[in-house]
Amino acid sequence: MSKHYDVGIVGGGIIGQSIAYQLAKEGISVLVLDRHKGGSGATSAAAGMLGANSELEQNDAFFQFAKESQRQYHLLQDELSNFSQIHIQLVDKGMYKVALSQEEAIALKNAVQHHETLEWHTRETVLNHEPSVSSEIEGALHIPEDGHVSPKHVCEAFTKSASLLGATFIENAPVQSIKKASVNDYILSTPQGDFTCNKVVIANGVWSGYFFKQLGLPNRMKPVKGECLAVKSNTLHLEKTIFYDHCYIVPKGDGRFVVGATMVEDDWSTTPSLGGIHALIEKVSPLVPGISSAQLISTWAGLRPQSEDGKPYIGVHPEDDNILFATGHYRNGILLAPKTGTMIRDFILKKKIDENYVRAFSVTRNLAQSNEVIV
Amino acid sequence: MSKHYDVGIVGGGIIGQSIAYQLAKEGISVLVLDRHKGGSGATSAAAGMLGANSELEQNDAFFQFAKESQRQYHLLQDELSNFSQIHIQLVDKGMYKVALSQEEAIALKNAVQHHETLEWHTRETVLNHEPSVSSEIEGALHIPEDGHVSPKHVCEAFTKSASLLGATFIENAPVQSIKKASVNDYILSTPQGDFTCNKVVIANGVWSGYFFKQLGLPNRMKPVKGECLAVKSNTLHLEKTIFYDHCYIVPKGDGRFVVGATMVEDDWSTTPSLGGIHALIEKVSPLVPGISSAQLISTWAGLRPQSEDGKPYIGVHPEDDNILFATGHYRNGILLAPKTGTMIRDFILKKKIDENYVRAFSVTRNLAQSNEVIV
Amino acid sequence: MSKHYDVGIVGGGIIGQSIAYQLAKEGISVLVLDRHKGGSGATSAAAGMLGANSELEQNDAFFQFAKESQRQYHLLQDELSNFSQIHIQLVDKGMYKVALSQEEAIALKNAVQHHETLEWHTRETVLNHEPSVSSEIEGALHIPEDGHVSPKHVCEAFTKSASLLGATFIENAPVQSIKKASVNDYILSTPQGDFTCNKVVIANGVWSGYFFKQLGLPNRMKPVKGECLAVKSNTLHLEKTIFYDHCYIVPKGDGRFVVGATMVEDDWSTTPSLGGIHALIEKVSPLVPGISSAQLISTWAGLRPQSEDGKPYIGVHPEDDNILFATGHYRNGILLAPKTGTMIRDFILKKKIDENYVRAFSVTRNLAQSNEVIV
Amino acid sequence: MSKHYDVGIVGGGIIGQSIAYQLAKEGISVLVLDRHKGGSGATSAAAGMLGANSELEQNDAFFQFAKESQRQYHLLQDELSNFSQIHIQLVDKGMYKVALSQEEAIALKNAVQHHETLEWHTRETVLNHEPSVSSEIEGALHIPEDGHVSPKHVCEAFTKSASLLGATFIENAPVQSIKKASVNDYILSTPQGDFTCNKVVIANGVWSGYFFKQLGLPNRMKPVKGECLAVKSNTLHLEKTIFYDHCYIVPKGDGRFVVGATMVEDDWSTTPSLGGIHALIEKVSPLVPGISSAQLISTWAGLRPQSEDGKPYIGVHPEDDNILFATGHYRNGILLAPKTGTMIRDFILKKKIDENYVRAFSVTRNLAQSNEVIV
Ligand SMILES: Cc1cc2nc3c(=O)[nH]c(=O)nc-3n(C[C@H](O)[C@H](O)[C@H](O)COP(=O)(O)OP(=O)(O)OC[C@H]3O[C@@H](n4cnc5c(N)ncnc54)[C@H](O)[C@@H]3O)c2cc1C
Ligand SMILES: Cc1cc2nc3c(=O)[nH]c(=O)nc-3n(C[C@H](O)[C@H](O)[C@H](O)COP(=O)(O)OP(=O)(O)OC[C@H]3O[C@@H](n4cnc5c(N)ncnc54)[C@H](O)[C@@H]3O)c2cc1C
Ligand SMILES: Cc1cc2nc3c(=O)[nH]c(=O)nc-3n(C[C@H](O)[C@H](O)[C@H](O)COP(=O)(O)OP(=O)(O)OC[C@H]3O[C@@H](n4cnc5c(N)ncnc54)[C@H](O)[C@@H]3O)c2cc1C
Ligand SMILES: Cc1cc2nc3c(=O)[nH]c(=O)nc-3n(C[C@H](O)[C@H](O)[C@H](O)COP(=O)(O)OP(=O)(O)OC[C@H]3O[C@@H](n4cnc5c(N)ncnc54)[C@H](O)[C@@H]3O)c2cc1C
């Protein structure tokens, strides 16, 4: 018979592994099951931006949560490197969110008022700092705190640290069904056999929709496919991420510029289409004209796990608090991974959790409105 | 609502796609669901040998079935190329099954008596035909009919031909559960949603064990991991496959020599280990000494789907003949794919099928002996 | 001391290896030196079209030469597979050269008159044969004889066949200089040391310009960079190559569609730029609209060796017939490789060679006009 | 006409690029020519160890030079990241040089006496720090200062920083010959055309032997091919590099363990042979037994540029101080790159250079002994 675990986590992407890491650090016996290799879902497709300010426009609980998570990365960098020797490649040089029209400029200038650290930079200032940016821009919002990491390395560092702290990680183990055998006894069935645990965390990204349904919840999970590419150049220099209308050029610490990403709804394929890459090139080339002469080195795609309102589900099943959800992180799962890990840990350890967060990410938050009934 | 299909096939490896192709040719509406990309399981790991004589030692129904399948490839080559433009790279230059000791030589010489086309070749004859083979051998069994194909291309040719003939193939759609909604109405649930069909074929290789269980059958499916490598060389020449004790060197039509494969039981990982590659090199280097100076170009691994008695399951569920199985092809799924496709087609079209085959591959064949009860 | 060779060939691309193969078959001792791996120059970037009719518009000696070379491939296919086991993947289903405007249609219809096998197909006929082609076309020239091969495999098959016939092929051996030591004694200097031979063939593609100069000839060689990409799709079907204005979509026998190629003059880089791939997608998408949804699987680039008048140099040095040139094959080196191999062989064996060919490809053919003096 | 440069550097490996960087920082106009891509020679094959203490056994000028270079990396890390955004992945956790026999233990203990920072660790201490190491060892020399970097990233960071500081880097430009046109005017001929400069630095690794000869010097350069592999594992942990008899396991900051390297003399091929990888696995598996179950992810090879006495040539041509050499760095070019860069800069700027270094690395140092005459 196989070992019984305190916590079984379905999905070994950045969210599942962040949770595993936090639990393993507390000495909890934890099992992570991934259907494939860890990190091979959305995580390995992500650009790795920590876009709290650039991505989230309202100063609400979600934004606070994102900022806390962003800050956590500064500690995690050393912590994870100590445990695992793996460097997460945190780059902290900020971002320019660019305006191409006057209307866009006005909208961005508004944002400045709400956030202390943000600043509006005129075209001249921008070109001064980043001479490669197009002179056609109106100016840009300067967001000093939105850096980036290497998602693959963050996920691997969580995985290896958790492993060395005692967690068990099993690859090639797709969870086919989650069943309650008795109190404190959940069965995760896979082709490798059944695994049992006291609590279950559902963290399998866009593929988690099936388990909401299996466990009687109406929440749906929709894929929003994103296509990316990477270029290299010895002469193109960018210090900051350049961001415009959901697209971006991220100057990574390994010399690549990651360019992303398209937004294709309801497409489950994980390979870039010719048309998608075409559209992406058209979108970003005007931002940094010199990028056309850079060398194209790779293209790829991934599926963002989109919940119905675009916010993640981080919380317990309404009728069974041994079943937890940590999914639906959509465009910001890399940013939100650290704080999702500690929040799920706190649920499991029954620690106090900020009520605003509990409410904002509750699994049942839209059910009333949508008037749907839990079966 | 999504379309309803005549037949839903779980798994888009060579077995599932061979079936899809045969059904689509008959005008049957068919759906193939693969959890990942088609052909990404054992199929893409296989060496592609059509080893009817080298792999099967008894002249029984299984052997007859294998020989028929082997012969089918000669027709398929053109048929698939006509539909899909894809060449399956059939090479038909035979094989040497080598003896290193006198005992092995005696055993192989025995085989000659049972099969007309086989011949015993002395060391001199072997070295005459294949000067790269080690002069330490005792001799070899010459098997003229055991050629090879490119499994990846066979699978892609089946897939594309079936597609162009009207079959629907959906990737990234793991089937989580198979349920009967009513007579002639099966629901295949996936994270992409539910798909319905009149009949279901379970063809997902080593991962099919879960569905046997879900559908009340005790048959187990065990992985036997195989690790392979490929080399290239401008000076090493082999005309025939060299085979010894489950290992082999296959001279492929693209210039690579595929070297395989280890046999690791109960290991579900799909990446080669350092120790596995080490063992493989030790095993095959003595057969063709010059291979040590060839250039190593790649290494990989895959999971052979092993049934309890090593024969495939090709047949209907004992209590519901709308549920069919086509799995457990173990070491010989490439060889057996064509005939498995036509046999499942015949089940579905209610055509006459050789009783020996029905019995040999029946899903319930071992249940009596093993005294296990169907739940 | 290293061995002395009859013939030393500089460059192991398809041209050098085709020559080596023809010489080795005659029992001549031959050495091929490549600065890197064989076939790693333009050869591995090529789409492999055998575009005698599509590429060459005049019925001159060059065209005759191309047609002979095209025909040679039919024999070579078996010959090379017999020696080397490598299949060159000849596909012989013809090509459509498409007209998008009335003018283009008229120009193509003219071509029909000059060549027996060509036919003008109306839009309806084209769409009948190739339903994936855009209905915006005016029609297309049908060129039944312009098939394609896999350049990489042709080059490897030449290399391996030559090797097994006794040729010596040394990789990682850049020839730095070619010097005459005495009559019948040339020294090819490389960082690996010096190699000596009776005759030298310069066959190093676009990089041969240096040796023209070193050997006192004014001919220049210019690179015309070409960027390509490959896509896959289970639903897109093309039987024939679709060709328009130097660009094309080639349905390869391995299921890929090779899409090429840009024409960038005087760019020596061998990696695709973002802008180049952009331009290529824009160019070919209108021809076969469905290609936008195909999956992008790779991109690459190579340098076509362009001579001053676009025709190859195949012949002897004007002052020393132990120095031969076989270079400048520009857009058609794959097509022209077989015949270049036999023509150089005939020069070396002092066999009779068609005077029209000698003249057309002579190294000195433009020197008079250009009034340049050989130093 | 192309621009004239102060300094032309032949070879864009880590040595050439380190020099280019130091010169560009001084405002000198510099051109780097590489025959292929920068860093594609030995540099990209290297493990990146900064093995001053582990590799060099005598406390001589060479050792002092190596230690200075090792220290320079600590400054370079930030400097290069500021200019180029590229992180060189310096890991500074030391090394264990292991003894498997009593004799080896004695030899290593001796080393302790000569170097302050070295310490002998008993088997127990070693296993305490590194529980994955084999318990069969006798003990190990602890070398706290021998860390490692990512050679590819160091080379790219030098290249990009130099570029942004004004250096010109041209790829795909093999230098065919170096000629003196007049005082202060050297011509570097390439297939792309000729380039001129006041001074030439020969920094093309093992391929520089040809230029010694062309420039009248008898020094020879011999390749010592090294084959490597990389593995991954979530459960194997090493903090320090484990070193034994020229072989090593280096725990890189990206989670890979780099395992190297064989020593194959006079082999110019740059791809690993099956036999080489076999030997490497046999050599290192006993050091860290758990490595057998790690996942093999890649294999590769490169050519160490070995001078006649194993020390680099860093200095001027005996008869022409506008020709400089920076080559022959053998097993330690990554370690020695920073200091080689500053030393060549000092030659060019006519700054004072430590006489011991000038003598130790002089291009003529062995000529007297070897009684060879400069032609
Ligand atoms: C193109 C693109 C760019 C992005 N850029 C950014 C960015 O810059 N910044 C940012 O913060 N976010 C970004 N994101 C979003 C981010 O990638 C995701 O929000 C995040 O990776 C989600 O992590 P996850 O662990 O929930 O999901 P995933 O990484 O998808 O992991 C889910 C895991 O579950 C496994 N799994 C699935 N089903 C099962 C099963 N039945 N049993 C077991 N295992 C299963 C999968 O194999 C997978 O490994 C981007 C996303 C995309 C696609
Ligand atoms: C190293 C090695 C060498 C071999 N050499 C040979 C040889 O030379 N000759 C020979 O005849 N045979 C050989 N074999 C055996 C052969 O590869 C297999 O028997 C054959 O590929 C089995 O095909 P399959 O389609 O049943 O399984 P697979 O190819 O494994 O395909 C199963 C498919 O099902 C999909 N899937 C899994 N679960 C689900 C789900 N829940 N929902 C949807 N899809 C799912 C998978 O993604 C996969 O694509 C070799 C095997 C190995 C590993
Ligand atoms: C994008 C693209 C598409 C094309 N498509 C087609 C097509 O469809 N059909 C067609 O017929 N043609 C096509 N071509 C043209 C064709 O590829 C070339 O004409 C042909 O490959 C030239 O062959 P080669 O052997 O002369 O040159 P290369 O293949 O470039 O080989 C030259 C070799 O010389 C070596 N070398 C260089 N310098 C030295 C030295 N100093 N010492 C030793 N070795 C050296 C190089 O490493 C290289 O291997 C295409 C070309 C491109 C770039
Ligand atoms: C397996 C292996 C492991 C190693 N491990 C370590 C280690 O851990 N630590 C360490 O310090 N060292 C290590 N080394 C040694 C180190 O890699 C070399 O000493 C160092 O890379 C030499 O750098 P280089 O720039 O001189 O040569 P290279 O990196 O070989 O660069 C030479 C460059 O010159 C170019 N070139 C060649 N000919 C011409 C021409 N005619 N014209 C223009 N360009 C030309 C080439 O393309 C190449 O880019 C290792 C080496 C190997 C092979």
Side-chain angles (χ1 to χ4, degrees), chain A residues 307-357:
Chain A
S307 68
E308 272 157 278
D309 61 0
K311 288 195 204 113
Y313 297 116
I314 312 174
V316 296
H317 189 286
E319 295 172 352
D320 182 349
D321 63 8
N322 287 323
I323 298 179
L324 296 99
F325 291 86
T327 181
H329 290 76
Y330 191 37
R331 287 180 61 93
N332 293 299
I334 309 309
L335 168 64
L336 303 171
K339 185 72 190 160
T340 301
T342 50
M343 183 163 163
I344 291 286
R345 175 201 64 198
D346 292 348
F347 268 114
I348 282 170
L349 296 181
K350 314 253 181 239
K351 289 201 186 162
K352 215 182 121 49
I353 305 172
D354 186 326
E355 262 312 306
N356 291 316
Y357 295 164

Side-chain angles (χ1 to χ4, degrees), chain B residues 300-333:
Chain B
W300 67 89
L303 304 183
R304 302 178 190 90
Q306 186 186 28
S307 67
E308 272 158 278
D309 61 1
K311 288 195 202 112
Y313 297 116
I314 311 174
V316 295
H317 189 286
E319 295 171 353
D320 180 349
D321 63 9
N322 288 322
I323 299 180
L324 296 99
F325 291 86
T327 182
H329 291 76
Y330 191 37
R331 288 179 61 93
N332 292 299

Side-chain angles (χ1 to χ4, degrees), chain A residues 59 67 84 109 116 127 185 197 227 326 348 355:
Chain A
N59 191 337
K67 290 302 291 183
S84 70
K109 282 176 190 167
E116 277 182 28
L127 295 184
D185 195 3
C197 50
E227 286 144 311
I348 282 170
E355 262 312 306

Side-chain angles (χ1 to χ4, degrees), chain A residues 46-118:
Chain A
M49 286 182 303
L50 307 178
N53 288 83
S54 45
E55 289 274 337
L56 306 179
E57 312 213 321
Q58 300 184 320
N59 191 337
D60 54 5
F62 189 14
F63 178 72
Q64 291 312 323
F65 186 86
K67 290 302 291 183
E68 284 188 49
S69 200
Q70 193 185 54
R71 281 189 292 270
Q72 266 180 264
Y73 266 111
H74 291 87
L75 295 175
L76 274 172
Q77 182 171 29
D78 290 343
E79 212 178 284
L80 291 174
S81 156
N82 278 344
F83 281 119
S84 70
Q85 296 262 78
I86 297 174
H87 299 274
I88 64 171
Q89 300 177 19
L90 177 60
V91 174
D92 205 25
K93 307 227 170 143
M95 180 189 283
Y96 269 138
K97 195 165 180 176
V98 159
L100 295 189
S101 70
Q102 294 247 305
E103 295 73 44
E104 290 169 358
I106 291 166
L108 289 178
K109 282 176 190 167
N110 269 337
V112 177
Q113 298 163 344
H114 307 305
H115 296 288
E116 277 182 28
T117 57
L118 307 191

Side-chain angles (χ1 to χ4, degrees), chain A residues 83 85-87 93 153 156 159-160 163-164 169 232-239 253-254 257, chain D residues 83 85-87 93 152-153 156 159-160 163-164 169 232-239 253-254 257:
Chain A
F83 281 119
Q85 296 262 78
I86 297 174
H87 299 274
K93 307 227 170 143
H153 291 103
E156 290 183 2
T159 307
K160 184 147 187 177
S163 264
L164 296 171
F169 175 38
K232 277 211 166 180
S233 163
N234 286 326
T235 50
L236 182 65
H237 180 69
L238 287 175
E239 187 115 344
D254 60 2
F257 296 90
Chain D
F83 281 119
Q85 296 262 77
I86 297 174
H87 300 273
K93 306 226 171 145
K152 176 174 159 10
H153 291 103
E156 290 183 3
T159 307
K160 186 149 188 174
S163 263
L164 296 171
F169 175 39
K232 275 210 165 183
S233 163
N234 286 326
T235 49
L236 182 65
H237 180 69
L238 286 175
E239 190 114 344
D254 60 3
F257 296 89

Side-chain angles (χ1 to χ4, degrees), chain D residues 138-285:
Chain D
E138 288 291 323
L141 185 66
H142 181 221
I143 309 176
E145 291 157 343
D146 284 7
H148 51 91
V149 292
S150 166
K152 176 174 159 10
H153 291 103
V154 175
C155 188
E156 290 183 3
F158 276 137
T159 307
K160 186 149 188 174
S161 300
S163 263
L164 296 171
L165 288 163
T168 300
F169 175 39
I170 302 184
E171 296 184 313
N172 302 300
V175 175
Q176 296 278 154
S177 74
I178 300 174
K179 281 194 191 119
K180 185 167 190 155
S182 62
V183 182
N184 275 350
D185 196 2
Y186 292 83
I187 305 177
L188 306 178
S189 296
T190 81
Q192 294 198 25
D194 289 351
F195 298 88
T196 63
C197 49
N198 296 345
K199 287 172 194 286
V200 180
V201 183
I202 290 154
N204 60 330
V206 71
W207 301 275
S208 62
Y210 176 79
F211 292 118
F212 279 99
K213 202 172 155 194
Q214 200 214 316
L215 296 163
L217 296 174
N219 317 47
R220 286 166 54 214
M221 194 62 56
K222 283 206 218 154
V224 180
K225 178 175 165 183
E227 288 143 309
C228 291
L229 58 87
V231 298
K232 275 210 165 183
S233 163
N234 286 326
T235 49
L236 182 65
H237 180 69
L238 286 175
E239 190 114 344
K240 301 175 189 309
T241 298
I242 306 304
F243 192 99
Y244 175 72
D245 186 21
H246 299 296
C247 284
Y248 40 78
I249 305 174
V250 188
K252 306 299 288 185
D254 60 3
R256 292 177 311 136
F257 296 89
V258 168
V259 176
T262 58
M263 302 272 282
V264 190
E265 305 223 336
D266 271 317
D267 180 338
W268 286 87
S269 78
T270 54
T271 43
S273 72
L274 193 67
I277 293 299
H278 187 188
L280 183 61
I281 302 177
E282 301 238 297
K283 190 77 171 283
V284 301
S285 302

